[in-house]
Amino acid sequence: MTLQKLKCPKKLYKLTKSYFSERKAILRTNNIRIEKEVSRGCPQGSCCGRVFWNIQFNAILNLDYEKQIKMVAYADDVMLAVKAESIREAENLTNIEMGKIIKWAKNNKINFNENKSKAMLITRRKRKENKKIAVYMNNKRLEQVQTFRYLGIIIDSKINFKEHILYISQKCTKLIHALSKSAKLKWGLSYKALHTI
């Protein structure tokens, strides 16, 4: 359907339709052969896989979002950022936009995993107020977290990056200890190799 909306040439459309029809997944091990018909998804690692995913998924970025909404996507990682004056406004806006996203997903036969999806309130307000938010996906309330990892960066609810700095410093400390074990006077890695590392 997306290719038709993009006015894809008829022959290319038919070729693509053929590519996605009558597909099978085959698993061979020793003398056992298991075959299953595949009706969804793109073959992982295929040349066309990323292009088809981009064509399909690009539509979610162009939904009719409110002006305070920013949708960010990298491959199949999606983040919905909502800016609001109050916590309740943020919660309401988020649930309205989530409704649009879920409707789009159903129309495009895509499932979002509500168990992997998280909600996080980012605020620097110090006053005491209820900072719990109720965000729903597929009628299930998303877990509210204080930190989450997005594209290798740990983002925290105050945006001070303390958690990320701590994580990176611990990772560096482990690396330094591993390198120091390899750097002995009489054996181990040479100075040149350590310098390169």
Side-chain angles (χ1 to χ4, degrees):
M1 190 184 292
T2 308
L3 287 174
Q4 286 174 325
K5 283 180 186 173
L6 292 170
K7 297 179 180 167
C8 177
K10 204 170 191 176
K11 288 182 180 178
L12 189 56
Y13 176 77
K14 284 183 178 179
L15 178 69
T16 305
K17 198 173 176 184
S18 162
Y19 178 76
F20 283 106
S21 59
E22 297 178 29
R23 292 186 297 147
K24 292 176 184 168
I26 300 167
L27 174 68
R28 285 190 186 108
T29 174
N30 298 335
N31 294 332
I32 301 168
R33 183 178 189 265
I34 301 168
E35 192 174 296
K36 188 178 177 186
E37 196 171 306
V38 179
S39 61
R40 300 175 113 187
C42 220
Q44 197 133 20
S46 68
C47 299
C48 302
R50 289 172 290 194
V51 174
F52 288 132
W53 174 254
N54 286 340
I55 290 168
Q56 179 71 23
F57 210 66
N58 191 52
I60 199 171
L61 301 173
N62 296 318
L63 290 177
D64 188 27
Y65 297 113
E66 296 295 322
K67 65 177 187 282
Q68 316 83 306
I69 307 299
K70 179 79 175 167
M71 176 67 98
V72 180
Y74 182 83
D76 62 346
D77 281 332
V78 181
M79 182 170 62
L80 180 72
V82 179
K83 184 179 179 183
E85 294 297 318
S86 70
I87 293 169
R88 290 311 127 227
E89 184 190 357
E91 183 181 87
N92 290 336
L93 272 170
T94 305
N95 282 310
I96 290 167
E97 301 307 318
M98 288 296 284
K100 292 177 189 175
I101 292 165
I102 296 307
K103 185 179 176 189
W104 175 87
K106 280 182 183 171
N107 291 340
N108 288 279
K109 297 178 185 161
I110 291 176
N111 294 323
F112 290 110
N113 187 339
E114 59 271 3
N115 296 320
K116 285 185 176 179
S117 301
K118 309 289 180 221
M120 185 171 80
L121 178 69
I122 297 174
T123 180
R124 289 190 173 149
R125 285 184 180 174
K126 292 201 168 114
R127 70 176 124 159
K128 298 215 180 221
E129 59 184 321
N130 182 7
K131 291 186 179 165
K132 297 275 181 204
I133 53 170
V135 177
Y136 294 89
M137 177 185 280
N138 300 324
N139 297 320
K140 186 177 176 186
R141 187 172 174 168
L142 299 182
E143 178 190 352
Q144 185 176 349
V145 295
Q146 295 302 309
T147 63
F148 75 93
R149 184 185 289 228
Y150 188 71
L151 304 180
I153 297 172
I154 298 170
I155 301 170
D156 58 88
S157 60
K158 297 216 182 294
I159 306 286
N160 59 23
F161 295 99
K162 280 183 186 174
E163 292 286 331
H164 186 71
I165 292 164
L166 181 65
Y167 166 73
I168 294 296
S169 64
Q170 287 171 346
K171 200 172 168 184
C172 290
T173 303
K174 284 179 190 171
L175 180 63
I176 289 165
H177 288 306
L179 285 172
S180 67
K181 285 179 186 174
S182 304
K184 302 299 176 190
L185 289 172
K186 304 279 182 191
W187 56 273
L189 294 171
S190 67
Y191 168 79
K192 195 173 180 182
L194 286 169
H195 184 72
T196 303
I197 291 168

